[in-house]
Amino acid sequence: GKNVKNRIVYEYNAAKQLLTKTLYNAQNAIQGRTVNQYNEKNLLTKTIEYDGSGTILQYKTFNYDLNNNPIKQVIYSGDGTMKSQILKVFNNKNQVTKETNLNSDGSIYYCYGYEYDNKGYVSKSIVYNNENSGIVDKYTVFTRNDEGNVTESELYNSGNVLTEKVCYNDAGFVTELY
């Protein structure tokens, strides 16, 4: 129609995975393009973002363990300088147990840990110290009902002292805050 501002064109491979996403303006000029690359297991290994002139703005690489869990994502600026990376550790049930986001200089931006109950729900979430990912700053323990909905969350500080307790009703709304 006459009122088209921008349009986006998506291209897929035989495995129905997104190969390219191209943004055009009203004059049909390319404004930007994202290109995805996959490995032989059909796992995303690289995403490249281009501007309208074809210059690389940034790109991301993805690495996986033998169970196809995404253990590493690195973001680079267009000139190849590392901007940040996300590292994940998985247990033998393919559940993420630790997630660390690193700044370009390798310092920790954030580091979270997770423990699970026997139904596979998160039972404890941990916030690690940004200077030393072996030190716990605080953690939250979750109590759940049979459906897996959180009924209570308890926040503890690094000294294992309960600092906040929240109770939830069946609809997920906070009913009590201590």
Side-chain angles (χ1 to χ4, degrees), residues 135-152:
I135 297 175
V136 174
D137 273 347
K138 58 187 174 183
Y139 61 93
T140 305
V141 176
F142 301 100
T143 304
R144 297 176 185 270
N145 60 17
D146 291 338
E147 288 79 49
N149 299 319
V150 174
T151 56
E152 190 177 277

Side-chain angles (χ1 to χ4, degrees), residues 152 162-167 176-178:
E152 190 177 277
L162 179 64
T163 59
E164 184 182 277
K165 181 175 175 178
V166 183
C167 297
E176 293 176 64
L177 182 63
Y178 299 94

Side-chain angles (χ1 to χ4, degrees), residues 1-9 23-29:
K2 291 178 178 167
N3 299 329
V4 173
K5 302 271 192 297
N6 293 327
R7 68 186 176 100
I8 301 174
V9 176
L23 175 65
Y24 295 88
N25 67 9
Q27 289 74 42
N28 215 33

